Amino acid sequence: MTNRTPPVIAAIGTGMMGQLAHLANYARLRDDGACEIAGVTDLKRGLADAVAARYRVPRVYADADDLLADPRVDAVACVQQWPNNYALVHRILGAGKSVITEKPMVGRVEEAEALSALAQARGVHYAVGFMKRYDRGVELAKAVVDDARGGNDLGALLAVDAVCNGGDWLHNIEPPVRVDDATPPPPLRPSYPDACRTPASRAAYEWLLNIFSHNVNLCHFLLGEEMTPRTARFHGDRAFAATLHAGDVLVTVRGVAGRAHDWREWATLTFERGEVRIDTPTPMNRQRSAAVAVLRGRDGRFATTHHHVPVDWAFFRQAGGFVGALAGTEPLRAPAAECVKDVRVMQRLIEIAEIA
Ligand SMILES: NC(=O)c1ccc[n+]([C@@H]2O[C@H](COP(=O)([O-])OP(=O)(O)OC[C@H]3O[C@@H](n4cnc5c(N)ncnc54)[C@H](O)[C@@H]3O)[C@@H](O)[C@H]2O)c1
């Protein structure tokens, strides 16, 4: 890792999330002087050209090898469908560069462990895109939960219930840059756990990875320890519920594939004498942080405090956090070494799952 500041970032993959949730944020940070953007690449050359022009990026690399050969590049935003992560991240880390990917890391725990170990061996960062850890409301809730667990105001933490019922996740964000390119992308080669033997179990695992990985990761963040899965049941791709525990704390992760007008996702942490509820916002809403409500009893009366944190966007704060980690000014909140736990838990959940 280099100590040069500002850090120099490049992007592999200029698809929708690569543009709107990542490159746009590094462009904003660059315009504030926090980082540089060296260039981008995509299998669709026309798309990479158009995206580079849109975000005033000076260079379009011929391919990932061309990008990785550039000694100026400190770190890569590699925003891909998850089956591409293992091979690309392995090449990026092997080239001695830091990387941020979208979630999930990969589909199998030994692949997650191998990438985490490689990042450590090369002395570079691998950040996984669990942006909710950077949400200002989640940040506040984590401080409230840590305080409560350190004292006896709320009593013992008994249970966590993490729910994602889906809904509109785009919140009227502008469309990404698109180009007419009929070239079909190479087929994805997902690497599933051995337990995924049927199309139904593979579809269930995809849903778990794409949606509930966020909730599993958030539970790990709030609890500070790895959970042990006990049961899991999928009703096709319509409804899912799992029970887990972290020591004495019972955890449920559940949800449906809902179609509400808004994003419906929350977590409640229930204590003996109170509750912390976190409503996490629509992922692509740039103008909202999680809402946090804390119920507590005082002198035999119960009252709920609604905390209002400043408007912000978890994806933007995540980009700032990655740049901060590259500059050596702050630790990563979702490093690969931590996110291996999510892959281990999800692999176990699909191993024990009933699929109806
Ligand atoms: N954090 C969240 O809340 C959230 C929300 C939505 C999606 N996501 C994640 O974001 C991921 C990426 O989404 P997307 O819409 O940007 O995907 P996408 O398929 O639109 O973009 C991927 C791009 O990478 C390019 N590419 C593939 N292999 C390449 C290679 N070897 N070299 C260079 N370019 C290559 C493709 O051509 C494509 O343009 C999703 O798979 C999902 O996991 C996360």
Side-chain angles (χ1 to χ4, degrees):
M1 207 179 336
T2 168
N3 289 322
R4 183 182 52 202
T5 55
V8 179
I9 293 170
I12 298 179
T14 55
M16 180 191 159
M17 295 299 284
Q19 293 177 41
L20 299 180
H22 294 269
L23 193 59
N25 288 327
Y26 294 110
R28 207 174 137 189
L29 291 162
R30 171 203 59 198
D31 295 346
D32 286 344
C35 67
E36 287 183 41
I37 305 177
V40 298
T41 190
D42 196 287
L43 294 179
K44 297 177 182 170
R45 173 70 197 219
L47 178 63
D49 286 340
V51 170
R54 163 72 180 78
Y55 293 101
R56 293 178 285 110
V57 173
R59 184 166 173 193
V60 175
Y61 297 97
D63 54 26
D65 287 331
D66 188 23
L67 181 153
L68 293 175
D70 184 347
R72 289 191 68 239
V73 173
D74 296 313
V76 181
C78 179
V79 180
Q80 295 291 326
Q81 308 289 323
W82 73 264
N84 289 342
N85 280 351
Y86 182 77
L88 277 171
V89 172
H90 202 280
R91 280 162 68 192
I92 295 165
L93 297 173
K97 301 191 189 291
S98 293
V99 64
I100 182 166
T101 64
E102 259 305 331
K103 40 47 64 174
M105 290 173 80
V106 288
R108 291 178 67 100
V109 73
E110 71 269 22
E111 293 183 349
E113 286 167 348
L115 293 180
S116 172
L118 182 56
Q120 199 167 14
R122 299 306 305 253
V124 292
H125 294 292
Y126 176 7
V128 187
F130 286 109
M131 79 294 182
K132 294 177 208 289
R133 291 187 176 209
Y134 285 92
D135 182 290
R136 281 185 189 272
V138 170
E139 208 170 82
L140 179 137
K142 166 90 172 133
V144 170
V145 168
D146 287 352
D147 268 6
R149 296 186 81 185
N152 49 23
D153 188 13
L154 298 186
L157 176 61
L158 302 178
V160 180
D161 187 29
V163 181
C164 183
N165 286 339
D168 174 15
W169 66 283
L170 292 171
H171 217 119
N172 199 31
I173 198 164
E174 76 276 13
V177 172
R178 293 197 181 95
V179 294
D180 285 334
D181 185 338
T183 327
L188 294 173
R189 299 194 192 287
S191 176
Y192 295 112
D194 294 344
C196 290
R197 291 188 198 89
T198 63
S201 65
R202 290 192 281 274
Y205 195 60
E206 287 282 353
W207 193 31
L208 183 60
L209 290 183
N210 279 322
I211 300 297
F212 299 107
S213 62
H214 275 302
N215 312 98
V216 168
N217 182 270
L218 191 61
C219 288
H220 280 146
F221 185 54
L222 295 168
L223 289 163
E225 67 180 293
E226 183 167 341
M227 300 180 291
T228 304
R230 304 310 300 183
T231 67
R233 184 171 169 91
F234 290 88
H235 282 201
D237 56 4
R238 303 182 318 280
F240 165 69
T243 58
L244 312 91
H245 67 91
D248 289 342
V249 183
L250 179 68
V251 182
T252 56
V253 176
R254 62 193 174 88
V256 302
R259 297 212 182 102
H261 66 293
D262 201 357
W263 187 249
R264 310 278 300 142
E265 184 184 47
W266 62 88
T268 52
L269 295 96
T270 307
F271 294 77
E272 286 172 302
R273 292 184 295 280
E275 191 169 272
V276 178
R277 174 166 166 135
I278 311 164
D279 280 85
T280 29
T282 308
M284 299 304 272
N285 186 346
R286 295 181 175 126
Q287 304 295 341
R288 214 169 114 192
S289 303
V292 181
V294 182
L295 167 76
R296 65 173 83 230
R298 274 206 190 103
D299 305 326
R301 295 180 179 200
F302 286 85
T304 299
T305 306
H306 293 275
H307 292 267
H308 301 287
V309 296
V311 161
D312 218 323
W313 191 29
F315 274 112
F316 179 64
R317 295 193 88 228
Q318 171 179 259
F322 186 51
V323 167
L326 295 170
T329 57
E330 60 179 288
L332 286 177
R333 289 198 194 167
E338 174 75 11
C339 301
V340 169
K341 294 177 192 166
D342 309 326
V343 183
R344 188 158 39 236
V345 162
M346 291 187 292
Q347 180 164 313
R348 183 67 189 139
L349 285 172
I350 202 67
E351 282 166 7
I352 62 175
E354 293 173 14
I355 300 173

